[in-house]
Amino acid sequence: PPVPPPPGAPTVRILFLTDLHWDQQYQEGSVVACPDPLCCRRGGDGADAGGNGAGGGTAAPSAGARAGKWGSYGKCDLPLGTIESLLAQLPVGKLAAVYWTGDTPAHNVWQQRRQDQLRALGTLSRLLRSRLGTVPVYPAVGNHEATPVNAFPPPEVTGNQSAQWLYDAMADAWRHWLPPSAIRTLRLGGYYTAPVAPGLRLVSLNMNYCSQANFWLLVNSTDPAGQLRWLVEVLAEAESAGDKVHIIGHIPPGHCLRAWSWNYYRIVYRFEGTIAGQFFGHTHLDEFELFYDEETLSRPVSVAFLAPSVTTYIDLNPGYRIYEVAGPYPGSSHAVLDHETFILNLTEANAAGAVPRWQLLYSARAAYGLPSAFPAAWDLLLRQMRDDGRLFRLFWFLRHKGHPPEPPCGDACRAALLCALRSARSGDPALCQPLRPPLPFHRIQGVWRRERSLC
């Protein structure tokens, strides 16, 4: 098990960005409530009296609501200026690295062409490089990078239907951050490994090879692109060298196809002493997924942190995460020691004469009273939320970046959410039995499907 660093040991801060979803057609003053899947855009002037047709979020915007300068609650993504304001206020000199887990384009998936995706990729990559200077950035591939959305064929698919156009563009955009060996596997399948610090390696997985929405996985859903076999080799080499590994990716393991998810779960258990951290996005919400030993499903061995999105979609404040991690010293665990979540309060930012002010929403250990940020502490929190309604309501508020839905989370919602936090292995009802959920597992899965469809 990881141990706290000794007094005076160095720590580092890692910026985590996910789901930026820059809308190239965002327009201040446009309608917020429209009949399309994405609003707040040029040309979207047909108000929808039904409000937020995509579901989720707080009260639906009124038919006359107009898009704010820095973003809007509703079915809206972000203008570039909001992303620029986030980067402008960062304490860049205090950052050791940046983990950036994809979903750069907006949600207008029915309109997108390859040139739109490449423009989003290039624009955001150049913006991060110019604002972050020499701070290294380690990206991962999101499901919205492709067009059609979610369509990521395995490498054996060649020609115009392949994903080579995207991987080659990523290799060119990220070559300043990644070593040549990482660029080679990035061009092959959108994944790579790279050194981060002495004793610490990073693995960036292409989680689209486990996505339930990627129809190409009908060809091979067990291990597309040989990525899991490659991951085992990287982890075995790190174990032999005494190194620790951080894993980043876009789609969380618990959202993956069952075969892939169960194999990944077994890999995490086998290398629990080597994997020091897992970092994902995709849900737009502030969550986590726990991994347990395979013999008893009771001893927590790892935690996958699911950080909140930069985008507002749907009905959220913009946000980002900073992880405090054990630094490079002999015997370092390189484990997460704490994390802080920052938001831009849109109500305040869009007020007349206001300037955008990104502010700390909460620090994990302080807010939840955690003894550490190791897996056992998150397992303890999960069990406490089962019985403590006040603590669960705090988690529900922070999960939505300080802008929760109006309907409270009732018994079915609560059972489904607690089950999801314990389910880094998809489709396994045994993981949720200790929580005594009041609903059968198939009912819990129904709640998940309704919520996860927004991603």
Side-chain angles (χ1 to χ4, degrees):
V3 296
T11 62
V12 297
R13 292 171 68 79
I14 296 176
L15 170 66
F16 190 89
L17 299 173
T18 189
D19 297 272
L20 277 65
H21 288 293
W22 166 43
D23 186 356
Q24 302 178 35
Q25 302 296 320
Y26 186 95
Q27 184 172 39
E28 181 182 1
S30 58
V31 295
V32 174
C34 73
D36 295 327
L38 185 65
C39 305
C40 301
R41 320 187 73 232
R42 287 199 292 271
D45 57 358
D48 178 8
N52 192 348
T58 56
S62 65
R66 296 289 166 173
K69 179 177 181 180
W70 303 104
S72 298
Y73 302 125
K75 300 180 296 181
C76 303
D77 280 320
L78 286 181
L80 191 61
T82 306
I83 301 170
E84 291 174 331
S85 76
L86 186 163
L87 298 174
Q89 56 79 51
L90 287 172
V92 173
K94 297 181 180 180
L95 299 176
V98 179
Y99 296 167
W100 173 28
T101 60
D103 268 16
T104 301
H107 286 83
N108 59 318
V109 297
W110 72 98
Q111 295 176 323
Q112 290 169 352
R113 301 162 297 172
R114 288 184 179 182
Q115 65 191 62
D116 301 313
Q117 313 307 80
L118 296 180
R119 183 182 179 216
L121 170 67
T123 300
L124 270 299
S125 298
R126 289 190 296 271
L127 180 62
L128 263 63
R129 189 172 176 224
S130 65
R131 293 299 176 90
L132 296 170
T134 59
V135 179
V137 177
Y138 301 95
V141 185
N143 62 300
H144 276 266
E145 265 66 58
T147 183
V149 65
N150 300 312
F152 286 82
E156 57 266 27
V157 176
T158 60
N160 190 50
Q161 287 188 317
S162 78
Q164 203 60 51
W165 65 274
L166 181 59
Y167 298 151
D168 285 343
M170 288 175 171
D172 292 340
W174 301 341
R175 68 183 186 278
H176 306 284
W177 294 321
L178 303 178
S181 59
I183 293 296
R184 283 195 292 273
T185 56
L186 176 64
R187 289 186 186 276
L188 171 68
Y191 56 85
Y192 64 87
T193 183
V196 176
L200 177 63
R201 307 183 188 188
L202 177 127
V203 168
S204 177
L205 294 178
N206 185 348
M207 300 299 286
N208 295 291
Y209 290 143
C210 78
S211 171
Q212 298 175 4
N214 184 4
F215 66 86
W216 282 104
L217 299 193
L218 291 170
V219 177
N220 172 10
S221 63
T222 304
D223 188 18
Q227 183 177 217
L228 288 179
R229 177 189 289 268
W230 168 85
L231 173 63
V232 169
E233 294 172 353
V234 171
L235 291 171
E237 290 175 3
E239 182 182 67
S240 297
D243 291 344
K244 301 297 184 183
V245 173
H246 284 176
I247 296 176
I248 67 172
H250 184 69
I251 299 172
H255 290 231
C256 290
L257 288 167
R258 192 174 188 273
W260 199 101
S261 179
W262 283 55
N263 285 328
Y264 180 79
Y265 201 95
R266 176 163 292 182
I267 293 169
V268 171
Y269 176 44
R270 163 61 182 83
F271 291 99
E272 63 170 297
T274 299
I275 298 171
Q278 300 183 69
F279 310 89
F280 298 91
H282 183 61
T283 72
H284 296 195
L285 301 171
D286 188 338
E287 305 174 288
F288 60 89
E289 291 181 351
L290 279 164
F291 292 72
Y292 295 87
D293 71 288
E294 290 199 316
E295 286 81 5
T296 69
L297 295 180
S298 63
R299 180 176 65 85
V301 301
S302 188
V303 57
F305 294 101
L306 280 55
S309 62
V310 177
T311 188
T312 56
Y313 192 91
I314 291 174
D315 286 323
L316 300 168
N317 287 309
Y320 69 91
R321 167 75 51 81
I322 288 183
Y323 291 97
E324 182 185 6
V325 177
Y329 58 87
S332 173
S333 68
H334 293 283
V336 173
L337 305 177
D338 202 356
H339 66 65
E340 297 174 337
T341 296
F342 296 80
I343 64 164
L344 177 66
N345 187 311
L346 284 182
T347 303
E348 296 177 359
N350 286 329
V355 296
R357 184 175 67 90
W358 294 82
Q359 55 193 288
L360 175 67
L361 178 63
Y362 80 103
S363 171
R365 290 187 60 185
Y368 296 126
L370 300 178
S372 73
F374 300 152
W378 294 99
D379 176 66
L380 175 63
L381 174 65
L382 196 158
R383 288 184 279 115
Q384 289 173 331
M385 288 194 294
R386 179 188 60 192
D387 304 315
D388 187 337
R390 182 204 60 82
L391 185 62
F392 179 81
R393 287 190 295 273
L394 173 63
F395 181 82
W396 182 252
F397 175 81
L398 298 176
R399 180 178 184 254
H400 294 88
K401 293 183 283 183
H403 196 251
E406 278 189 348
C409 186
D411 291 342
C413 165
R414 183 171 176 172
L417 177 52
L418 293 178
C419 182
L421 300 179
R422 212 177 188 274
S423 298
R425 185 164 72 180
S426 66
D428 185 3
L431 287 167
C432 299
Q433 288 176 355
L435 297 173
R436 304 187 303 274
L439 291 178
F441 189 61
H442 74 275
R443 293 278 303 280
I444 287 175
Q445 289 179 305
V447 177
W448 291 352
R449 281 191 291 271
R450 289 194 297 273
E451 183 167 294
R452 292 174 177 179
S453 65
L454 299 177
C455 299

